[in-house]
Amino acid sequence: MTAPDRQRVGALIAPLFEPLIAPLDVAEKGKVPGVLVGVLHQGQRYCYAFGQVPLQQGGSAAPEDTVVMIASNTKVFTATLLAIAVLQSRVELDTPVRELLPPGVDIHPYLMDQPVRLRHLATHSAGFPKGLCPPRDDVFGHYSFDATTRFLREFEPQYPPGQQWCYSNQGFALLGALMSHVHHDSPPSEPGWGSSYRDWQQVARRLLLEPLGMQSTQVELSPPVRARLAQSYGLRQPGQRYESIRVGEIDPQSAAIGAGALSSTVPDMLAFLARQIDHGPDVLGRAIALTQSPQEPLGLCMGLGWQVGDGCLAKDGLKLGYASYMIVDPSCRVAVFAFANAEGSDLNGAARAALGALRGCAVQWPRPTPQPKRKPQCPPDGMSAR
């Protein structure tokens, strides 16, 4: 990497991200205090910072060392675990979910001959609600398996699986637990949701994070990790200071880890995106290629975990004031990962525009067709997670 190359890329993307920034002590609707941007271009990796990105415990860190919550970007990692399991003949994309549930836990099919399959969970087409049931403020790191059991027991699907696209954290939470189970090294010895379903963190580390060299990507916020964690903010009143948001602990055995609990750094996310371009011939490389393969039309073109459009793969994440977005064009060998320390800005649009500027062709991102008129809802009765 030469300084002129870094400067040219920076000059290209700066006009796209600088308009998103407002001063930390003068909040502005639609803007954020700070943005970090990682770029993969012509085989080189660059990291840029705009505005202010202080740490949760005070002070600051270099943009490359700052830890950020990537929220629902985690779903692509869970989908990659599914692809690995398929290539290892542990499951098939069309394996019914019911076959992988523990004894005593069942799921309602729309019709007996139309079960929810793993493919449906990975493409948001299972017909599950958007949020976890019951709703929580910090959903991914504190969701019980008892709540999962109650949801599966009480939820009645409104339409057949595989027919419509409707974004679902509930579906990916279940997929994460099932992928922990199918990749577990030893047969389960406990009844119910035993340890094999609660090991997503270790499975992801063994099969994805370590092979990809993502040493600063994790679930638990240990003291060394938290010392580098970016502070996130909320906007209470325009013109006043942005309000700090506290990030609590994350239970590594939460039933929703695989839906959005990872934290990472810009360099680690660029390592992940680089492998989306150069898959490699090993099982992981072939699994990555499988996640990029478009599935059935569902109102929004999906790979496994990825949204697909105009030659690009993309995914975003929102959690406790953190916003992130990754987009990659494998054929043009260009990728962008963007992070903001508050929600509400058009971070996704700026990242797409940046990728378009870098590849020399604007990204024409498809709009999803309308979602079901009757969106899936959590079962009634005021279920409460334990």
Side-chain angles (χ1 to χ4, degrees), residues 3-353:
D5 290 337
R6 176 182 169 78
Q7 292 171 358
R8 280 194 293 268
V9 172
L12 198 61
I13 69 169
L16 303 172
F17 290 99
E18 287 175 342
L20 304 182
I21 304 300
L24 186 59
D25 56 353
V26 187
E28 188 173 340
K29 186 176 181 180
K31 296 192 176 184
V32 298
V35 170
L36 300 178
V37 181
V39 171
L40 182 61
H41 182 244
Q42 295 182 350
Q44 300 297 319
R45 303 179 190 184
Y46 310 99
C47 183
Y48 304 90
F50 304 94
Q52 297 174 270
V53 186
L55 301 181
Q56 188 184 56
Q57 296 183 352
S60 61
E64 294 85 354
D65 295 329
T66 301
V67 174
V68 303
M69 303 295 295
I70 67 169
S72 285
N73 289 285
T74 306
K75 291 179 172 66
V76 180
F77 291 78
T78 292
T80 307
L81 293 178
L82 169 58
I84 292 173
V86 170
L87 291 172
Q88 293 178 337
S89 300
R90 296 172 183 263
V91 295
E92 298 177 354
L93 289 180
D94 288 326
T95 296
V97 166
R98 172 180 279 126
E99 294 182 5
L100 301 176
L101 297 175
V105 179
D106 204 359
I107 181 173
H108 289 285
Y110 181 78
L111 294 172
M112 291 306 296
D113 62 346
Q114 294 180 310
V116 174
R117 304 178 187 276
L118 294 177
R119 180 195 304 275
H120 301 142
L121 299 181
T123 57
H124 299 290
S125 63
F128 283 2
K130 178 179 179 179
L132 292 174
C133 303
R136 293 188 60 95
D137 292 333
D138 187 7
V139 291
F140 303 127
H142 300 278
Y143 187 66
S144 73
F145 281 90
D146 285 345
T148 304
T149 298
R150 292 196 296 276
F151 167 76
L152 293 174
R153 182 181 64 230
E154 298 178 16
F155 179 72
E156 298 281 356
Q158 300 175 10
Y159 50 83
Q163 298 295 308
Q164 301 186 69
W165 180 86
C166 189
Y167 190 89
S168 178
N169 286 310
Q170 189 79 57
F172 259 89
L174 179 58
L175 182 62
L178 298 181
M179 289 306 99
S180 171
H181 177 66
V182 301
H183 284 294
H184 209 258
D185 288 334
S186 58
S189 58
E190 313 101 316
W193 300 99
S195 60
S196 66
Y197 293 94
R198 302 168 184 262
D199 204 23
W200 188 94
Q201 176 179 225
Q202 296 304 321
V203 168
R205 179 167 301 283
R206 173 168 54 87
L207 297 179
L208 297 177
L209 304 182
E210 290 179 356
L212 291 170
M214 300 179 70
Q215 298 180 357
S216 292
T217 303
Q218 57 277 310
V219 169
E220 293 184 86
L221 297 175
S222 65
V225 173
R226 192 175 284 276
R228 298 190 290 139
L229 180 65
Q231 176 65 60
S232 64
Y233 298 93
L235 186 153
R236 174 175 290 180
Q237 184 68 36
Q240 297 183 1
R241 185 177 179 83
Y242 284 93
E243 182 181 15
S244 299
I245 297 176
R246 180 182 179 277
V247 178
E249 299 302 320
I250 295 176
D251 180 358
Q253 294 193 1
S254 165
I257 289 295
L262 281 177
S263 58
S264 188
T265 61
V266 172
D268 270 21
M269 294 305 294
L270 289 180
F272 180 72
L273 291 173
R275 196 67 187 271
Q276 306 301 314
I277 295 172
D278 294 312
H279 306 153
D282 59 357
V283 171
L284 176 55
R286 289 183 286 125
I288 288 171
L290 179 57
T291 66
Q292 299 177 3
S293 301
Q295 305 298 308
E296 299 91 343
L298 302 166
L300 179 70
C301 188
M302 291 289 304
L304 300 176
W306 287 110
Q307 296 173 8
V308 183
D310 197 17
C312 298
L313 311 158
K315 186 69 189 80
D316 62 350
L318 296 172
K319 175 184 172 68
L320 295 175
Y322 297 95
S324 56
Y325 187 77
M326 58 180 176
I327 183 168
V328 55
D329 182 335
S331 63
C332 290
R333 306 180 65 81
V334 178
V336 173
F337 173 75
F339 160 81
N341 54 7
E343 300 178 21
S345 72
D346 188 17
L347 183 74
N348 297 9
R352 286 195 293 267

